[in-house]
Amino acid sequence: MSAPRRSALAVRREKAAAAAAAAAAPTVAATATPSMPASSSTTPWPDAAPSSRPKPKRARASKSRNSPAPPPSAAPATTLPPPMPPAQPEVPTERQLRYLHVQHDAAQFQWNDTSLTCTLQSHEGVVLRGVCTLHVVRGSVRAAGAVLTSASLPMPVWAPDVAPAVDVVALADDTCLRIENAAPGIEQIGRVCPLAGADPFAQLHALPRLTFHLVSDLTEPALRTPMEWRDTMTQLCEAASPIVLLRGTKNTGKSTFARLLLHTLATASSQVPRFVAWLDMDIGQPEFGPPGMLSLHVWDTQREACVAAPAWCSARVPVRAHYLGDVSPRDDPAHYVAAVADLVEFFRTELQYTTHASQVQTHLGVPPTLCDPTPTARSRQEQRMPLLINTHGWLKGLGLDLVQQVTALVQPSHIVDLGDVPLHGAYATLPAYADTAEGRAAGPSRRRINAAEARTLSLLSYLHMTQLPRPGIAMSVAAWDFTPLVASPPWIVDVHEGLAAGIGCLERRASVDPPLRLLALNGAMVAIVQAPAMPMEESTTAATPSDVWPTAWQRGAALVAPSSLAPAYGLALVRSLDREKGHVHLLTPLSGTYLADRMQVHGMPLGLVQGAMELPFWGALDADAYADVMQYRRDAPAARLAGVLRQHVPYLQWPADLVPGDAVSLHTEPLGARPRKVRRNLMRRRYNAGGGGGA
């Protein structure tokens, strides 16, 4: 029986297979191939009868009909490996890092009475908790997003138990890091407020004679930059003077991302800018000041060090700010938008474009003797200042509308969304911190404070500061003294002369009748503001005690008028009033020298503005009362508070077991002692459904 006639296609396949085998023969002979079982074959389609071929794989059906079939070859074909991708620089992940332990790695540590020195290799690190200062002797490290070298300023670290620990990782071999003791005073906040714990900065767990300790439990939360955020941060730092606006709901990590980006931009960008600006738009939980204020801050990267600390330890003097008198813009959204517009306009006209550093330093309040020398006309170059904007996490209803209005005002170059944001136009959308690998690995903290507790800590920390850091001044560092406020000496200010701009009261939630203004002002939180315009000239005769206070209220009406925006310098506590002498007693961390300098520079008098902010309960206690409330005292409770019988202390209501003797029978509830309850759920269902409507 004759063989079947071969088709022309089969002949062409055989010729092509023979040519390919001849060309590949030397290469195959020179290459050692692993031996395979006899039943297996390296050819995808061996030269066999159609009935003996294996069924084609499903992936083969995706090939084009015109693609050539594999040639039948007598010699086994060599399967070449896929091409290797180009080499990428190694990015250290948290799994590659090795954290040192004081006992297990004792050879890498040396310590004395005031410091601990450790030698780190690349990708080695330590996790710190407590209060200390970081000095890089040689090499480089990354801490809280900042890259520190031997030329960097020392970095303060204030890491309490209710906040993440600080992660310090070496970026080069043979890095030498010196960790020194610090005593800023913030570690004593447990003496006046228990919300951060009795030992908030773990001083009892510190190393012998030191104010900090190394965390050995790596499951404890630590401040690390998530891998999912690093590419975006790098791109933002490489951009030319970016204006970055952050959006996201509550607890997505907006403030964490912004703080890490600030430190990275100020230390590790390709071209480190001289100044970096920060606009804090979250009046409920601002990052660098007390609640109730919209503030604009500026950092001098050559004179100021980055600080690794929670927000309630990071207050500083703003470049420009406005006091809204509440922790939410809900009751006066128009005032909120107008204040934001003023801060943005100030940044654009005075700070964004400059030709030399002394122009910015003048607005920062740096004394002329400490300013940089003015360069010559030839050496001047226009510089642009980057700006970071941290928005609030209220992204529903009115809050969402405010964020949209602010975005239109700012016109940012980059918008970064964290988590699910019901808005469009973002440059990058990143996962929330809790959804990142670092956030999941850290797990829950031992105890987390809520927003209300954070505001209380922020206010008390602010009022107990003895030195408020000023921008652009290298030696201006934060310091605290937690002596009870009722025992702290106040500033005695003459209302007629020292507060020539008057006293204003913002109508928040309820108005105050004129006869009750002094009663409402006593013990209130107020803002020290600058008059937006010079008050009208009045009689030059000395003011009598009977007309000091009416004149102050009359002048202060201009401070709270809807058409005016009075710049604020900071907050103060009205500890008491002297109605007869026309004096007000104030407690504030702002120095008298700074306020006098601002009055001289701007030529405008100062005034006070009262809002809905209140002194936290813990701030009204002395040492004995605090010990009684915390049940630290085992004997009878103290009878007096700051020299006054407890039953006669206004604004406070005492439990029966804290009022000694027969004073309980004489106790009458003071005005305003009951907790205020505000219901905000009225009409909410109808409002969310789009029905709108009135009251």
Side-chain angles (χ1 to χ4, degrees):
M1 188 174 181
S2 61
R5 184 179 179 180
R6 294 184 298 171
S7 64
L9 178 60
V11 173
R12 288 197 298 268
R13 286 180 177 177
E14 289 184 0
K15 290 182 179 180
T27 304
V28 175
T31 304
T33 57
S35 60
M36 301 189 66
S39 59
S40 64
S41 175
T42 57
T43 57
W45 296 106
D47 190 10
S51 59
S52 62
R53 293 179 182 176
K55 294 182 180 180
K57 295 183 179 180
R58 185 174 183 179
R60 186 173 178 83
S62 63
K63 291 187 177 182
S64 173
R65 183 175 299 178
N66 298 326
S67 59
S73 175
T78 304
T79 304
L80 299 178
M84 296 295 294
Q88 299 290 337
E90 182 181 3
V91 179
T93 61
E94 303 304 330
R95 294 182 179 179
Q96 295 173 315
L97 298 179
R98 175 178 177 268
Y99 292 94
L100 303 185
H101 192 276
V102 175
Q103 297 179 351
H104 300 162
D105 305 285
Q108 296 181 242
F109 292 98
Q110 293 180 353
W111 67 77
N112 52 33
D113 292 342
T114 60
S115 65
L116 174 69
T117 303
C118 55
T119 303
L120 303 173
Q121 303 303 318
S122 179
H123 297 183
E124 289 185 343
V126 293
V127 180
L128 297 174
R129 190 172 291 285
V131 288
C132 58
T133 306
L134 300 182
H135 298 258
V136 179
V137 180
R138 64 176 180 270
S140 60
V141 301
R142 183 185 295 275
V147 175
L148 307 178
T149 64
S150 58
S152 303
L153 296 172
M155 182 180 189
V157 173
W158 303 320
D161 281 345
V162 293
V166 176
D167 179 79
V168 184
V169 177
L171 302 179
D173 289 333
D174 197 26
T175 294
C176 183
L177 176 67
R178 185 172 72 251
I179 311 171
E180 294 186 351
N181 280 351
I186 187 63
E187 67 277 7
Q188 303 295 330
I189 192 173
R191 295 171 53 185
V192 299
C193 180
L195 299 181
D199 183 24
F201 287 85
Q203 298 296 288
L204 298 178
H205 299 85
L207 296 171
R209 304 183 300 277
L210 299 180
T211 60
F212 58 91
H213 72 278
L214 304 185
V215 177
S216 58
D217 184 8
L218 297 183
T219 61
E220 185 172 336
L223 183 58
R224 302 184 179 97
T225 304
M227 297 293 294
E228 296 88 338
W229 293 1
R230 295 182 184 179
D231 290 342
T232 301
M233 285 188 177
T234 302
Q235 295 170 8
L236 295 175
C237 291
E238 293 176 351
S241 302
I243 298 179
V244 184
L245 185 138
L246 302 175
R247 302 184 305 197
T249 57
K250 298 178 181 179
N251 300 324
T252 55
K254 296 187 305 299
S255 299
T256 301
F257 182 92
R259 180 74 77 100
L260 294 173
L261 179 59
L262 171 67
H263 293 174
T264 304
L265 191 64
T267 60
S269 56
S270 56
Q271 294 182 352
V272 176
R274 175 63 189 272
F275 300 99
V276 181
W278 174 294
L279 179 56
D280 224 332
M281 294 172 44
D282 187 354
I283 61 176
Q285 291 181 275
E287 193 70 12
F288 296 104
M293 293 180 62
L294 280 172
S295 54
L296 176 66
H297 299 271
V298 173
W299 275 262
D300 187 340
T301 60
Q302 295 184 8
R303 296 188 177 186
E304 297 181 73
C306 300
V307 179
W312 49 271
C313 304
S314 304
R316 52 187 280 124
V317 175
V319 177
R320 190 174 179 87
H322 291 290
Y323 182 61
L324 272 71
D326 208 343
V327 297
S328 171
R330 178 186 290 108
D331 294 333
D332 197 352
H335 189 189
Y336 177 86
V337 175
V340 172
D342 178 80
L343 296 180
V344 172
E345 182 65 20
F346 180 83
F347 170 78
R348 288 175 177 169
T349 57
E350 305 293 342
L351 300 176
Q352 186 175 12
Y353 298 97
T354 56
T355 57
H356 52 89
S358 58
Q359 289 180 325
V360 179
Q361 291 171 332
T362 301
H363 294 291
L364 301 187
V366 178
T369 56
L370 299 179
C371 291
D372 289 6
T374 303
T376 61
R378 292 184 178 181
S379 61
R380 294 182 181 180
Q381 295 181 353
E382 186 180 70
Q383 299 178 355
R384 295 180 58 188
M385 186 184 301
L387 173 65
L388 306 181
I389 305 159
N390 187 26
T391 61
H392 55 70
W394 181 23
L395 293 183
K396 293 182 179 179
L398 177 60
L400 182 63
D401 183 59
L402 291 176
V403 172
Q404 290 176 312
Q405 294 186 50
V406 166
T407 304
L409 287 172
V410 175
Q411 297 181 355
S413 61
H414 301 78
I415 299 177
V416 179
D417 290 346
L418 276 80
D420 295 331
V421 176
L423 295 172
H424 303 286
Y427 167 77
T429 301
L430 304 177
Y433 184 82
D435 297 331
T436 62
E438 286 75 7
R440 292 190 297 268
S445 59
R446 286 175 289 184
R447 192 176 73 84
R448 184 176 181 179
I449 58 176
N450 56 36
E453 293 173 335
R455 283 192 288 268
T456 297
L457 290 172
S458 180
L459 276 175
L460 292 177
S461 171
Y462 182 83
L463 291 174
H464 283 275
M465 295 187 78
T466 57
Q467 182 168 301
L468 198 61
R470 293 177 56 182
I473 301 179
M475 300 305 295
S476 179
V477 295
W480 288 267
D481 180 10
F482 284 97
T483 301
L485 296 177
V486 294
S488 300
W491 290 95
I492 301 178
V493 183
D494 183 87
V495 175
H496 184 71
E497 298 292 338
L499 299 176
I503 303 174
C505 183
L506 294 168
E507 292 188 2
R508 296 289 184 265
R509 303 170 186 165
S511 60
V512 179
D513 293 335
L516 301 177
R517 284 175 175 174
L518 288 181
L519 180 63
L521 182 63
N522 188 26
M525 295 294 303
V526 295
I528 301 177
V529 302
Q530 170 192 305
M534 184 63 68
M536 297 180 59
E537 293 291 338
E538 299 175 358
S539 175
T540 57
T541 58
T544 60
S546 59
D547 60 5
V548 166
W549 299 105
T551 303
W553 298 119
Q554 182 180 0
R555 292 177 176 177
L559 301 177
V560 295
S563 59
S564 65
L565 287 172
Y569 293 115
L571 299 187
L573 171 66
V574 180
R575 214 188 72 169
S576 60
L577 300 170
D578 192 331
R579 184 171 183 175
E580 302 299 330
K581 296 182 179 180
H583 293 170
V584 58
H585 298 180
L586 297 178
L587 291 176
T588 179
L590 298 170
S591 66
T593 304
Y594 171 76
L595 293 176
D597 176 72
R598 295 294 89 192
M599 290 178 60
Q600 182 178 1
V601 170
H602 298 287
M604 295 293 178
L606 300 180
L608 299 180
V609 172
Q610 180 185 359
M613 301 290 296
E614 296 180 351
L615 176 69
F617 162 77
W618 306 103
L621 305 180
D622 61 2
D624 290 338
Y626 182 74
D628 289 338
V629 172
M630 297 301 298
Q631 300 181 353
Y632 290 159
R633 293 160 52 97
R634 296 186 178 181
D635 52 353
R640 297 176 180 270
L641 191 155
V644 180
L645 291 175
R646 286 190 178 179
Q647 62 270 24
H648 295 160
V649 174
Y651 314 118
L652 293 178
Q653 181 179 10
W654 299 94
D657 58 344
L658 294 185
V659 181
D662 297 333
V664 180
S665 60
L666 302 177
H667 174 70
T668 58
E669 184 177 277
L671 182 65
R674 290 184 177 274
R676 181 178 58 218
K677 295 182 179 179
V678 180
R679 294 193 63 185
R680 303 193 185 279
N681 60 344
L682 300 179
M683 304 285 295
R684 178 173 296 178
R685 184 175 302 175
R686 181 180 177 185
Y687 177 77
N688 290 339

